[in-house]
Amino acid sequence: MMANFPNRFEARAERRNWFARKDAEALLDWVEDCGHRFIGLEVAQKQDDGTWILLADSLDLSRQTENFEAIRMGRVFLSEYDGEGRMFEPVWQDRAQ
């Protein structure tokens, strides 16, 4: 089953699937509540000219078997990598593109 972002999140996205920390954390709650397997986060930085740069730092949990622990690690990652102009893209198994 392919899972799309819920409408309440899709409307808040900065760019298609990218979210500020607060919304990314709320999306992690949704992923966990729905039982989706969380597999990682990508991080992008907004530049002064409005362009985005994908940062090399990302969270890859594709080998993590315990979803509860993956969600916890996602929250830690968000707190460590949050900053001015940072956006996050949560990724979960079977997510629709």
Side-chain angles (χ1 to χ4, degrees):
M1 177 173 82
M2 299 299 273
N4 291 314
F5 288 103
N7 288 337
R8 69 181 184 271
F9 289 111
E10 191 170 11
R12 296 178 59 89
E14 173 78 17
R15 295 192 62 187
R16 200 165 145 230
N17 299 328
W18 293 86
F19 300 88
R21 177 183 174 184
K22 183 179 176 184
D23 290 324
E25 287 176 337
L27 191 53
L28 284 180
D29 291 339
W30 175 82
V31 167
E32 185 174 32
D33 291 347
C34 291
H36 298 301
R37 183 172 171 258
F38 175 64
I39 57 176
L41 284 163
E42 297 287 336
V43 184
Q45 177 72 42
K46 191 172 193 174
Q47 303 300 296
D48 292 337
D49 65 359
T51 61
W52 289 85
I53 295 177
L54 184 62
L55 301 181
D57 298 323
S58 66
L59 181 63
D60 180 2
L61 299 170
S62 59
R63 292 191 171 106
Q64 177 70 34
T65 58
E66 179 62 45
N67 201 47
F68 176 81
E69 182 64 13
I71 296 286
R72 186 192 71 74
M73 291 171 69
R75 293 183 197 293
V76 169
F77 183 86
L78 285 170
S79 69
E80 290 177 355
Y81 284 89
D82 189 29
E84 185 68 31
R86 292 270 171 97
M87 290 288 154
F88 301 92
E89 180 184 24
V91 181
W92 62 87
Q93 187 173 325
D94 299 327
R95 184 186 88 182
Q97 295 300 318

